[in-house]
């Protein structure tokens, strides 16, 4: 009799998760009715309010890497990674203060390339589109890997098959509904995930006997920001990687473009940055709790293992849905941004006007959505840790284009040539550092690449201004 009742509850949990996924897909299909053009697909009508922007931005970055990957790293190495993640929070706050209020200068833009081309020309637009695709596919791969782990744990399906299932769900509603589907499903997912993770943490802390008992049972090394074997320089390097790595990646730029009210946009962005601090620490805290309660588990299984251990049958379905929301909310954003980037910034500049008809762009964007999803599935099957995939993807963004994008967003007076000089400087600097410098100093190549990009970019622009001043003096 007891076994039958447990099966009923387990079926109830599974049914809740399935109903949640169906609801997400339904929202996507509902939004698809109003998605009739490429602009609808990319930025909609720009009528999203402050809470929707706050929720979709928060849900977008609270993905598998910053939750699952964060907990896994803390389980293995201690709070080193969770504290370093506050670097990401800092960059979101800085974007809200300095970039978001100036986005009205870019009204009408739908992609990173739309921002780059007026300053640097068509080739810069194409490069921006290609980098958008590669970096978004990599970050999407991190989310799909996490989703595969969740489906595998709770439904007993192989990880490879689970990744495929998760990707198909995200591709379905984002391909049909575009940005409207992504934003409104993000709002739904945010409301779930912001409750689910603290609930798991509180249940785990209670199981450990409270905070003091948890601290007493942990290895001392796990509680040090700079553990033995690491250095202050390594911590600062990782902190700066999280400051720079995802700064102004395409989904976040897209969020800055979908609101007409830039004052509310700035406030929502800053609030999202502050919210991320406790979330990152709580998600990392789950790694510490798992270290005490389940010390023998695989670190990548911290989240699902904690749910299985702590959450009562019957409530588990709601919590699992919240964890699924963490992944889907980030995956859909990066998937959509990659398709918009390729169509708007690569396909359009390289084709004749007859292919620029809106219906062709709209159809092509949907096809690219599917191609990107398949690419990301491949990535997620080859790199096991979500945070490692994120750091890998960062190498295709910040070192090559971040400096130039910030200058364009702020409407700085720069030369077209400086874009390519900075790009080359960042690429060469990061590659050479990976090959030689990283063996000498524990500084990530992303940081070196951004510094080299900035140095070359600045020198070229200063020389251009000096030449212009000299010419005026002669005249």
């Amino acid at each position: 009799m007891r076994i039958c009742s447990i099966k009923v509850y387990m079926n109830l949990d599974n049914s809740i998760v399935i109903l949640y996924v169906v609801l997400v897909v339904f929202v996507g299909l509902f939004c698809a009715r109003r998605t009739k053009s490429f602009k609808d697909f990319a930025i909609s009508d720009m009528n999203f309010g402050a809470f929707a922007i706050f929720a979709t931005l928060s849900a977008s970055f609270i993905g598998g890497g910053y939750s699952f990957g964060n907990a896994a790293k803390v389980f293995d190495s201690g709070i080193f990674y969770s504290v370093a993640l506050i670097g990401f929070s800092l960059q979101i706050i800085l974007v809200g203060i300095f970039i978001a209020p100036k986005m009205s200068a870019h009204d009408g833009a739908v992609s990173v390339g739309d921002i780059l081309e007026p300053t640097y020309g068509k080739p810069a637009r194409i490069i921006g589109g290609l980098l958008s695709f590669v970096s978004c596919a990599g970050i999407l791969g991190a989310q799909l890997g996490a989703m595969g782990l969740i489906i595998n744990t709770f439904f007993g399906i192989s990880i490879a098959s689970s990744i495929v299932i998760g990707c198909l769900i995200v591709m379905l509603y984002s391909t049909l509904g575009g940005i409207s589907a992504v934003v409104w499903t993000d709002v739904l997912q945010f409301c779930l995930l912001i409750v689910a993770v603290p609930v798991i943490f509180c249940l785990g802390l209670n199981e450990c006997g409270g905070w003091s008992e948890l601290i007493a049972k942990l290895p001392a090394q796990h509680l040090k920001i700079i553990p033995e074997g690491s250095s202050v320089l390594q911590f600062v390097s990782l902190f700066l990687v999280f400051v720079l790595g995802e700064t102004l990646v395409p989904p976040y730029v897209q969020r800055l473009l979908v609101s007409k009210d830039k004052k509310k946009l700035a406030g929502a962005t800053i609030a999202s940055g502050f919210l991320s601090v406790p979330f990152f620490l709580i998600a990392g805290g789950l790694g510490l709790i798992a270290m005490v309660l389940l010390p023998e588990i695989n670190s990548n299984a911290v989240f699902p293992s904690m749910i299985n251990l702590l959450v009562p049958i019957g409530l588990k379905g709601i919590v699992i849905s919240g964890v699924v929301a963490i992944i889907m909310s980030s995956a859909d954003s990066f998937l959509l941004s990659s398709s918009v980037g390729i169509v708007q910034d690569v396909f359009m500049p390289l084709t004749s006007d007859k292919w620029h008809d809106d219906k062709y762009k709209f159809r092509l964007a949907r096809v690219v959505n599917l191609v990107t999803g398949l690419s990301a599935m491949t990535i997620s099957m080859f790199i096991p840790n979500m945070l490692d995939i994120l750091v890998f993807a960062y190498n295709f963004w910040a070192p090559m284009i971040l400096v130039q994008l910030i200058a364009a967003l702020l409407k700085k007076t720069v030369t077209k040539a400086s874009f390519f000089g900075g790009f080359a400087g960042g690429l060469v600097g990061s590659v050479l550092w990976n090959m030689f410098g990283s063996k000498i100093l524990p500084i990530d190549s992303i940081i070196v690449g951004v510094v080299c990009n900035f140095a070359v970019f600045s020198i070229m622009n200063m020389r251009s201004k000096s030449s212009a001043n000299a010419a005026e003096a002669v005249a």
Side-chain angles (χ1 to χ4, degrees):
M1 190 74 174
R2 181 178 173 79
I3 293 174
C4 290
S5 62
I6 290 175
K7 285 183 176 179
V8 169
Y9 283 122
M10 290 177 68
N11 289 333
L12 174 62
D13 288 329
N14 292 344
S15 298
I16 290 171
V17 177
I18 292 169
L19 283 173
Y20 166 71
V21 172
V22 170
L23 177 60
V24 168
V25 173
F26 173 78
V27 171
L29 294 174
F30 180 80
C31 292
R33 299 189 310 164
R34 296 181 297 174
T35 306
K36 305 296 184 183
S37 67
F38 180 74
K39 185 179 179 182
D40 290 340
F41 185 82
I43 61 170
S44 191
D45 56 6
M46 298 177 65
N47 268 334
F48 298 109
F51 178 74
I53 296 297
F54 165 72
T56 187
L57 184 59
S58 301
S60 295
F61 67 68
I62 300 176
Y66 289 168
S67 51
F68 285 54
N70 178 8
K73 288 291 188 180
V74 171
F75 181 92
D76 287 332
S77 308
I79 62 173
F80 182 85
Y81 282 90
S82 273
V83 178
L85 266 174
I86 295 174
F88 178 90
S89 308
L90 175 63
Q91 68 91 355
I92 290 289
I93 293 168
L94 292 175
V95 167
I97 294 172
F98 296 108
I99 303 292
K102 300 180 183 297
M103 290 305 295
S104 56
H106 305 283
D107 284 346
V110 301
S111 67
V112 168
D114 283 337
I115 296 168
L116 292 174
E117 184 174 7
T119 304
Y120 305 108
K122 186 183 292 186
R125 180 192 197 101
I126 296 170
I127 291 173
L130 292 172
L131 291 177
S132 294
F133 178 81
V134 174
S135 59
C136 285
I139 297 171
L140 174 60
Q143 317 311 326
L144 295 179
M147 189 178 295
L149 184 62
I150 283 291
I151 296 173
N152 166 258
T153 301
F154 295 114
F155 293 92
I157 305 169
S158 71
I159 288 183
S161 299
S162 299
I163 290 173
V164 172
I165 291 169
C167 187
L168 289 176
I169 293 169
V170 173
M171 285 195 298
L172 175 62
Y173 71 80
S174 64
T175 299
L176 294 175
I179 188 66
S180 293
V182 169
V183 169
W184 291 118
T185 55
D186 279 356
V187 171
L188 171 64
Q189 289 157 353
F190 172 79
C191 293
L192 265 175
L193 68 86
I194 208 63
V195 173
V197 176
V199 164
I200 303 170
F201 179 83
C202 291
L203 290 172
L205 194 60
N206 182 66
E207 186 72 15
C208 290
W211 184 254
S212 58
E213 287 295 315
L214 171 65
I215 299 300
K217 294 173 183 176
L218 284 167
Q221 286 299 305
H222 270 61
L223 299 174
K224 294 181 178 179
I225 296 177
I226 313 294
E228 289 181 17
S230 299
S231 65
V232 174
L233 187 58
Q234 283 178 300
F235 175 80
V236 172
S237 174
L238 187 61
F239 183 88
L240 290 176
V241 166
F242 289 124
V243 171
L244 299 170
E246 274 192 51
T247 300
L248 297 172
V249 289
Y252 306 157
V253 172
Q254 200 171 33
R255 297 305 182 277
L256 298 177
L257 295 172
V258 298
S259 176
K260 292 177 180 177
D261 190 327
K262 305 309 177 186
K263 185 176 181 180
K264 289 182 179 179
L265 171 66
T269 305
I270 294 168
S272 181
F274 279 110
L275 172 74
S276 67
V277 175
F279 184 91
F280 291 157
L281 296 177
I282 289 171
L286 288 175
L288 297 178
I289 293 170
M291 185 70 188
V292 171
L293 300 179
L294 300 166
E296 303 301 321
I297 63 168
N298 183 305
S299 60
N300 282 330
V302 166
F303 258 74
S305 298
M306 293 284 285
I307 293 172
N308 275 333
L309 176 68
L310 300 169
V311 182
I313 293 174
L315 179 62
K316 190 176 291 184
I318 298 173
V319 174
I320 295 171
S321 297
V323 174
V324 170
I326 291 173
I327 306 151
M328 293 176 69
S329 59
S330 187
D332 55 19
S333 300
F334 283 94
L335 179 58
L336 185 75
S337 293
S338 64
S339 62
V340 170
I342 282 289
V343 173
Q344 183 75 355
D345 300 336
V346 179
F347 182 78
M348 290 299 107
L350 294 177
T351 56
S352 61
D353 290 344
K354 70 176 183 179
W355 294 102
H356 294 189
D357 184 80
D358 189 76
K359 67 178 181 180
Y360 290 120
K361 289 174 63 176
F362 185 33
R363 291 172 185 171
L364 182 62
R366 285 178 159 174
V367 171
V368 172
N369 231 39
L370 303 177
V371 173
T372 307
L374 296 174
S375 302
M377 278 196 300
T378 304
I379 292 171
S380 65
M381 291 179 187
F382 282 97
I383 305 179
N385 185 274
M386 282 72 75
L387 211 56
D388 291 337
I389 301 180
L390 290 180
V391 175
F392 168 78
Y394 290 168
N395 283 284
F396 293 96
W397 187 255
M400 302 181 200
I401 200 171
L402 177 59
V403 173
Q404 300 94 314
L405 178 57
I406 290 175
L409 283 165
L410 296 178
K411 290 291 184 179
K412 297 295 183 181
T413 303
V414 293
T415 65
K416 292 182 179 181
S418 65
F419 176 93
F420 305 99
F423 175 86
L427 175 61
V428 172
S430 59
V431 169
L432 290 179
W433 187 263
N434 256 333
M435 294 172 63
F436 307 109
S438 58
K439 299 172 184 176
I440 303 170
L441 288 174
I443 299 174
D444 196 278
S445 62
I446 293 170
I447 300 167
V448 175
V450 172
V451 170
C452 290
N453 185 326
F454 179 76
V456 175
F457 181 82
S458 299
I459 290 169
M460 291 184 69
N461 281 299
M462 285 189 291
R463 289 187 64 182
S464 174
K465 289 178 183 178
S466 297
S467 298
N469 290 338
E472 287 179 9
V474 171

